[in-house]
Amino acid sequence: MELPGLAFAVWMFICFYATVDGYPNGKVREACTSMIPCHGSSPQLSPEHTITVNGTDFKPGDSIEVHLSGPDFEGFFIQARDAEHLDSPAVGAFMLVDRRHSQLLTCGCTKNSAVSHTSKAKKKYIKVYWVSPGDAPKHVQFLATVVKKYKTFWVKIPGPIVSQPNAPSPTTPLHTTSEAISTSHPISYLSKRFNASGCGSMKFCIRNPSNCDPESASCFFLSFRQEKSSVFIEMSGPSEGYLAFALSHDQWMGGDDAYLCINEDHHVHVSTARLKGRSPPILDSENVLEDVSWRLVDGVLQCSFRRSIRLPAYKGRFNLDASYYIFLADGEANEGGLIYKHRRQPLITNGIYNVTDLPQDIGGSRSPRLIKAHGALMFVAWITTVSIGVIVARFFKPVWSHSFLFGKEMWFQVHRMLMLTTVMLTSISFVLPFVYRGGWSQQAGFHPYLGCTVMALTIFQSLMAGFRPSRHAPRRQLFNWFHWSTGTTARILAVVTMFLGMDLPALDLPDPWDTYTMIGFVAWHVGIDVLLEIHSYCLIRKVEVIDDDRVQILQSLTSAEAEASQNFGRLFKQIVLTIYVCGNIVFLIAFLAAINQI
C-alpha cells in the first residue's frame, strides 16, 4: 500500500475517523450502472414508493410524464432502460419540472439520461418528463432507486413499461412486479468456526499470531483456496466492528483492491472497496462476490465468499493470479455500519505472494521491518549503552583510577566506548524512519520532533567531548557542567520519546505492558543511581578525597580501617554495577522480544 503502513499511523489514528461515502448532493454518476448508493449496507426488497407514467406507448421523439411518489424520502435516482436488457445503459433524456429538488445527470454517452436529487431534504413527490430517442428500443422500462435514510434504500424499483406501436412481444419475460430487483447474491449464516486444516497444503493462509488457531478468540486468519476459475476466501478475527483485507502492489495504503466484512446491527455486510491514498474506502456499488456467508459470535467476526480469479469487466479488481502484498486490518464500526479508521497498524505480509500459486502458511507483521529496527536500536542505545556509560563515569573514577586500558584510565575508556556506541546506534536508528516514510511523518505527534532534538543533543555532546579541556584547565569546570547538563537532558528526552513511540501505530507494543515496563526501567535506573549516591555520601564521611590518586586518612580512622573501607566500597560498587548491567539486559530483552512479536 502507499502507506505505511497505513497508517500509521493509524495510528496516530486515535480520535480521528472516517466513514464511507454518500451522495447528499445527488452527484451519483459512480452509480450510473448499478444504481446502488455507496452507503455500505444492503438494499431493502419491498419498496414503499411507486413510479407512474401518463401513457403506455410512445414513438421516437415523444415525451412521457414520469412520477415518483411515496413516503418521505431523501434521495432518488431515475433512469429509463431497455426493458429486455435491464443491465444495458440508460436510454433517452429527461427534462425537469422542479429544479429545486431534481437535477439532470449524464450517464455514459447519453446526456441528461438520469435524474437525481439536489439535496437530502425530505420529499414525497417528483415529476419529470422523459423524451424518447430516435433509436429507442421497442420496450422501455423506468427504474428508480429511492433513499429513505442513509441505511434504508431500495434499488431499481421497477416502474411501468412503455412500448412502441406494433412492437413485437419481448423474447424474455419482463420484470413488472412490485419487488425491487435483486442486486446481490444470497447470503447465508456460517454454522461453525473456520479451522486451519489444509493451510500450507490445500489453501494459502495468513495467521497472526503465527500458527494460531482461527477457532481462538485472539487469532486473525485469512485463507485463499483456489477452485477452478475462482478463489474461496475466509477471513476471521476478534472484532465487533469490521475486518478487511487488501491486495497491494506496495506496502503503502492507496490504489488497492480491498474487501470488507462490516458488522451492521449484528448482521455482517460483505463488500468490495477501493482505496485511494489515505482516504476512507469507497465501497463498490456492484457486488462481484458469491457464496457469501458470515458469523458473529463471542466477539469474533468471520466471513467467507467466492471471487473469480479474473474480473476484466470490473475496474479496480485485481487479478488473483498475480503477486501482491496482503494487508489485514480490523477496526470499529457504529451501529449503522459506518467504519472508523483502524487504530493500529494493519498486518502486512513481509513479501509479495500469489495466493493461487503453491499453498503456504505464513504470518505477517503489524510493524514494518525498518520501524522494528529503529525501535530495537534505540532501546539498545538508551536502555543499555548510555545508562551503563553514565553510571561508570559518575561512580567508578576512584574504583578504576589505577587500572588502565590502551594507555588511558579504564573508567574513561569504558565510558567513551559506550558513548560512541550510543552515538552510532542512535544515528543509524534516526535515519531508518525517514527511509521507510520517504520523508517527514505528519501523523506521529511529538515523537519525531523530540527524536530530532535527542539526535541533535547526541551529536553536540560527542563534539563537545572531543574538545574537552585538560583536567586542570580553567574551563574544565564549565565543560563538566555543560557535559553533564546536555547528557542529562538528552537522556530525559530520549525516555519521553520512547514512551511516545511505543504507542504509535507503526510500532504498537502491547498496552499497558509497554508503559509499565518503561516505568519499571526508569525506576530501576533511578534506584541504582540513588543507591550509589548514598554509598558515596557514606564513604565521604569517612575519607576525604584529595585528588584522583591520593587519599588522606581522617584522624578518627586507622590506616587499616581506611584501607578496609576503601576495599569494601570498591567491591560494593562492582557488585551493584554487575546487578545493574544484568537488570538493563533483562529490560532490553523484554522490549526486543515484544518488538519481535508484533
Side-chain angles (χ1 to χ4, degrees), residues 196-205 357-361:
S197 61
C199 284
S201 59
M202 298 178 61
K203 56 186 179 183
F204 186 101
C205 297
D357 206 344
L358 295 176
Q360 297 188 54
D361 188 4

Side-chain angles (χ1 to χ4, degrees), residues 378 426 430 446-457 493 497:
M378 284 300 186
T426 303
F430 177 78
F446 289 106
H447 178 79
Y449 297 97
L450 291 176
C452 290
T453 304
V454 170
M455 186 72 251
L457 291 174
L493 290 180
T497 306

